[in-house]
Amino acid sequence: MTANADVLVPVVDRGESLEELVHAAEEHTRGGISNPVLGMILFIASEVMFFAGLFAAYFNIRSNAPVWPPLGNVEFNLRGHVLLPAILTLMLVTSSVTCQIGIWAIRRGDRKGLMRAFVVTIVLGILFLSGQAYDYTTLGFGINDGPFGSTFYTLTGFHGAHVFAGVLMLGVVLYRGMAGQFSARHHDAVEAASLYWHFVDVVWICLFTLLYILG
Amino acid sequence: MATTVLTPTATRARSGLYDWLTTTDHKKIGILYLGSSFIFFLVGGVLALAVRAELAQPGLQFMGEAAYNQFFTMHASVMLFLFVIPMLAGFGNYVVPLMIGAPDMAFPRINALSFWLLPLAGTIMMLGFVLGGSAAEGWTSYSPLANAKYSPGVGTDLWIVGLILIGTSSILGGINFLVTIFKMRAPGMTMFRLPILAWTVLVTSVLVILGTPVLTSALIMLFIDRNYGGSFFDPAGGGNAVLWQNVFWFYSHPAVYIMVLPAMGIVSEIIPVFSRKPLFGYKAFVFATATIGALGFSVWAHHMFTTGSVYLPFFSFMTFLIAVPTGVKMFNWIATMWKGSIQFSAAMLFALGFLTMFLIGGLNGAFSASVPVDFAIHDTYWIVAHIHYVLFGGSVFAIFGGLFYWFPKMFGVKLNETLGKIQFVVMFVGFNMTFFPMHELGLMGMPRRIADYSPMAGWNDLNLVATIGGFLIAASVLPFLWNVFISLRGGERVGDDPWEGNTLEWATTSPPPPYNFDRLPEIRSERPVFDQRHRLAGRATGH
C-alpha cells in the first residue's frame, strides 16, 4: 500500500464491461440508471405532488359541497359531454404507445423508427391540445363559475400546459434525433422525454375518469 | 483516466465578472448562493429592525399600520425563502460534491438555473414596495384575507409569482442534490460512509421534491382566486378557507425541517472536528434524520389546532413523536463532545449556540404540541419566540458556524477568530434579549402581527428589551462584514486542512481546482481524511 494509497478517480469496481467503464468515466457516474433518467423520475415525483395538491383541493371542495356537480347550471353535467374528450383520451393513449415504439426503435439503434414514431406522437399531442382548446369553447361555464368551474379549468388547464411542455420536449428530442445525436447506447434524453410523456398520459386518464365518467 | 481530461481546453478570454455570471462550477454557484442569500439576510434584517422599532413603545411612532403589515410580511418571506433555504442550499452546493468526492453536481447548468431564479424571484417579490405596496397579509397568506377583496393591489400577486419561482429553484436543486448523492459518489463512498451533512441534504431534498410542488399548487390556486374569479378558498363563493391552510402547511411545515436539517448537518460536521472525536452514533443520527423527514409530513395540521377541523389527537401525538428523533440527535452531539478535547473556535461556538438555542426552540415547541396549551398560546408572541429559537437560534447560528468552518476552504484564508468570537457573544446576547421576553409577552396574551398595543397592557418593558436586543443582533453583523472584508483582503493564509477535518473536502486544495480532485484518498470509513492523516502519521513514526 505505498504507491496506490490514493485511488484514481473515476474508477468503477463492479465488473462492468469496458464500454460501460468508459461511459461511466466520461459521465463521472456510477452504473445502473443514468443521471438524466433518474433526474426525470425525481422531477416526475415532484409533478405527482403538484397534481396531488390540485386533486386534493378538488376532493376537498367536492366533499364539502352539498351536491356535486353543483346545481344551477346544466352544463356542469359533463357525462353528457363525453364524446370529444373520449376521442382525445384515445389519441393521448395512442400517442403513449407510439412514443414507446420510438423508444424500442432507438434501443435497437433504429433512428428512422424513432423519428417516425415521434412525429406521430407529436402530431397526436398537438391534436389533443387543439381538441381540448375547441372543447373549452363548447363548454357552457367558465373558470369563474364557482368551485366547479375553478377546479375543472385548473385541473384540465394545468394538465394541458403539461401536454404542451411534453410536446416541446418531444420536439427537442426529434430535432436532436434528426441531427443524429442518438444511438442505441446514447439516448438518455429520449428515455427521459418518453417517461414524462407517459406521466402526462396517466394524469389525463385520472382526470378523464374523474371529471367525465364519475362526473 | 484522470479528471483533468474533463477540464475545458478552450482558451478563456472572459473577464472575471463574466465568468461568475456564467459559471456552472458548483463551488462558484455555492458562493453565489451564499452571497446572494446574505444580502437578503441584510434586507430581511432591516425589515425586522423596522418592526422592532415600531414595537419598542406603544402607539405608532414610525410608520402606519399598512406599512407595518408589509414589513413583517416581507421580513418573514425574505428570511425564510430568500435567506435560510437558499443559504443552506449554498452550503450543500459548495460542500456536498466535495464531501462525496464528485467533480461537480450532476446537472451543472440546471444548478446555475436554480441559483439565478433566486435573485429574479427576490426582485419580483420586492417590486411590490415600489408598485403600490408589497404583500401585507403575513407570510402564511391566509385566505380569505389574501383574496383580491381584502388584499387588493399587485403586491400579493408579485409575492405569489416570486414564491413559485423560488419553489421551482428549490425543486430543481433538490433533484440535482439527489442525483448527485445517489450517482456521483467516489468509489468506496458507500451510503453509510456519507458525511452527515450529505445525509441531511439528501433527506431535505426529498422533502423539497415532495413538499414544494404542493405549495406551488396552492399558490396557483390562490392566484386564480385573486385574478380569474376562482373560488378555491373563498367561503362566500363555495370554496374552503381551511383548504388553503391544509395545502399551505403541507409544504410549510416540512419547510421547517428543510430549514433545519442541513443546519443540523453543518453542526454535525463542526462538533466532531472541534471535539477531536468521531460523531457519536453515526447510524442513529442517519436514521433520526430520515425519521424526521418521514414524520415531517404528518404534523402539518398542528398549525391548525384552533380551526376545529383537524383531528387533534393524531396531529398532537405525531408532533410529540417527532421530538424523539430530534432528542436522539441532541444526545449524539452531547455524547460526541463528552470527554473530547474541545477547541472553542468561532465555528464551534456557533455550533454550541445552535445546540443550546435549538434545544429551547424544541422545548417551547413541545408546549405548543399540546392541544390545550396551544389553544391558549396560538397566534401569540409565544409562537414568535418559538419560531425564532428554531430558525435563528437554530439555523442562523449553524449558518455562521458553517461560514467560519468552510471559509478557509472557499478562499484559502481564515476568518479572524477574535472578531468571530466578539460577533458570537454580541449575537448570542442580542438574540436572547430579543426573543426570550417574547415567551412572557405571549403568555401575557400579546398577539403576533400587531403594530400597536395598549400602554396599559403591561407589555412596554419587555417590548423595549426585545427591541434593544434586536439592534444588538444588527450590531453583531457588523464585525462579521468587517471580518469578511479584511480576511479576503489579507487574512491569515492557511493550508488545505486548517482544522484537521474528517471529510473529503479537506483532502483537496484551498480553494479546490475546477473539478475538485486529481486524486482521492482511499475511502474506508465516514472519515477518510482522518484515516489518511493517521495512516501517514503511523508510517512516519515507523509503525
Side-chain angles (χ1 to χ4, degrees), chain A residues 13-182:
Chain A
D13 50 0
R14 293 184 184 165
E16 284 94 339
S17 71
L18 180 62
E19 192 179 307
E20 281 167 325
L21 275 174
V22 172
H23 183 66
E26 282 167 356
E27 306 264 310
H28 283 280
T29 183
R30 302 186 151 227
I33 190 168
S34 73
N35 290 8
V37 173
L38 179 60
M40 180 53 85
I41 290 171
L42 293 169
F43 180 64
I44 289 173
S46 81
E47 291 277 42
V48 167
M49 291 309 288
F50 171 76
F51 278 102
L54 296 183
F55 273 96
Y58 173 83
F59 286 123
N60 179 283
I61 287 171
R62 183 175 171 153
S63 67
N64 282 330
V67 281
W68 196 269
L71 304 172
N73 189 341
V74 286
E75 298 277 348
F76 284 166
N77 194 348
L78 289 171
R79 265 186 281 194
H81 184 84
V82 80
L83 181 63
L84 179 57
I87 296 170
L88 295 176
T89 308
L90 206 61
M91 281 182 180
L92 210 56
V93 173
T94 313
S95 79
S96 246
V97 175
T98 58
C99 183
Q100 196 57 31
I101 289 172
I103 293 291
W104 288 329
I106 194 63
R107 281 184 190 159
R108 294 190 308 268
D110 175 6
R111 281 182 207 159
K112 279 208 173 127
L114 169 72
M115 298 300 104
R116 267 199 303 269
F118 268 42
V119 167
V120 176
T121 311
I122 290 171
V123 168
L124 286 169
I126 292 171
L127 281 177
F128 174 88
L129 285 173
S130 324
Q132 200 187 19
Y134 171 76
D135 192 43
Y136 277 0
T137 65
T138 65
L139 290 171
F141 59 94
I143 193 168
N144 52 359
D145 280 328
F148 189 89
S150 312
T151 51
F152 176 86
Y153 282 103
T154 306
L155 281 166
T156 56
F158 273 91
H159 174 264
H162 282 74
V163 175
F164 183 68
V167 168
L168 290 183
M169 227 183 264
L170 294 172
V172 171
V173 167
L174 185 65
Y175 176 79
R176 289 185 57 191
M178 291 193 298
Q181 293 185 7
F182 300 123

Side-chain angles (χ1 to χ4, degrees), chain B residues 234-293:
Chain B
D234 185 5
N240 184 353
V242 177
L243 170 62
W244 165 263
Q245 298 187 27
N246 272 306
V247 280
F248 176 80
W249 287 113
F250 185 84
Y251 161 76
S252 293
H253 194 78
V256 175
Y257 303 110
I258 290 170
M259 287 183 272
V260 89
L261 283 177
M264 291 172 164
I266 291 171
V267 166
S268 306
E269 298 303 328
I270 293 173
I271 287 179
V273 167
F274 293 106
S275 304
R276 323 291 339 147
K277 279 179 67 192
L279 182 75
F280 181 88
Y282 172 92
K283 281 197 178 172
F285 200 100
V286 170
F287 289 126
T289 305
T291 310
I292 291 176

Side-chain angles (χ1 to χ4, degrees), chain B residues 83-375:
Chain B
F83 165 55
V84 176
I85 291 178
M87 194 82 181
L88 294 170
F91 280 111
N93 244 296
Y94 191 93
V95 182
V96 166
L98 285 165
M99 278 185 153
I100 65 172
D104 204 318
M105 297 282 279
F107 308 113
R109 279 184 290 184
I110 291 179
N111 199 23
L113 175 66
S114 294
F115 168 72
W116 286 106
L117 283 173
L118 290 170
L120 173 69
T123 312
I124 289 174
M125 261 193 182
M126 296 289 181
L127 269 181
F129 281 123
V130 291
L131 296 177
S134 72
E137 59 281 345
W139 78 280
T140 50
S141 205
Y142 273 11
S143 212
L145 176 60
N147 288 359
K149 185 174 172 190
Y150 304 107
S151 296
V154 76
T156 303
D157 295 314
L158 292 168
W159 181 86
I160 291 172
V161 172
L163 207 45
I164 289 175
L165 288 177
I166 294 169
T168 309
S169 154
S170 286
I171 292 168
L172 295 175
I175 293 170
N176 221 336
F177 279 128
L178 284 183
V179 178
T180 305
I181 293 171
F182 284 140
K183 300 282 298 178
M184 312 260 293
R185 282 170 287 125
M189 179 61 80
T190 61
M191 290 305 278
F192 280 113
R193 290 176 190 165
L194 276 182
I196 291 293
L197 177 63
W199 264 111
T200 56
V201 168
L202 188 158
V203 174
T204 301
S205 301
V206 172
L207 294 179
V208 164
I209 288 178
L210 299 182
T212 313
V214 179
L215 177 70
T216 308
S217 73
L219 291 167
I220 282 172
M221 289 187 274
L222 183 61
F223 195 85
I224 289 171
D225 267 12
R226 289 176 52 82
N227 294 291
Y228 305 111
S231 18
F232 285 102
F233 305 126
D234 185 5
N240 184 353
V242 177
L243 170 62
W244 165 263
Q245 298 187 27
N246 272 306
V247 280
F248 176 80
W249 287 113
F250 185 84
Y251 161 76
S252 293
H253 194 78
V256 175
Y257 303 110
I258 290 170
M259 287 183 272
V260 89
L261 283 177
M264 291 172 164
I266 291 171
V267 166
S268 306
E269 298 303 328
I270 293 173
I271 287 179
V273 167
F274 293 106
S275 304
R276 323 291 339 147
K277 279 179 67 192
L279 182 75
F280 181 88
Y282 172 92
K283 281 197 178 172
F285 200 100
V286 170
F287 289 126
T289 305
T291 310
I292 291 176
L295 293 178
F297 278 114
S298 63
V299 297
W300 80 88
H302 68 214
H303 297 269
M304 303 161 56
F305 283 164
T306 57
T307 58
S309 56
V310 296
Y311 187 58
L312 299 174
F314 173 79
F315 287 105
S316 177
F317 177 76
M318 297 309 277
T319 307
F320 281 118
L321 196 61
I322 204 166
V324 174
T326 314
V328 168
K329 293 186 172 193
M330 275 292 166
F331 285 110
N332 284 131
W333 290 318
I334 293 167
T336 303
M337 290 187 288
W338 185 257
K339 293 192 175 174
S341 8
I342 297 176
Q343 297 171 321
F344 290 102
S345 65
M348 183 66 171
L349 286 176
F350 278 105
L352 294 174
F354 169 95
L355 233 64
T356 47
M357 296 301 101
F358 186 75
L359 177 64
I360 296 179
L363 292 176
N364 61 19
F367 278 93
S368 327
S370 163
V371 174
V373 177
D374 184 73
F375 279 4

Side-chain angles (χ1 to χ4, degrees), chain B residues 51-58 68 381 433-434 437-438 441 444 446-447 450 452-454 457-470:
Chain B
V51 167
R52 274 321 319 169
E54 184 52 60
L55 287 174
Q57 300 167 52
Y68 180 87
Y381 260 79
M433 264 178 82
T434 314
M438 289 184 185
L441 286 169
M444 289 195 285
M446 179 169 168
I450 53 167
D452 187 12
Y453 48 89
S454 161
W459 302 339
N460 302 8
D461 296 344
L462 289 176
N463 268 308
L464 185 61
V465 171
T467 299
I468 295 169

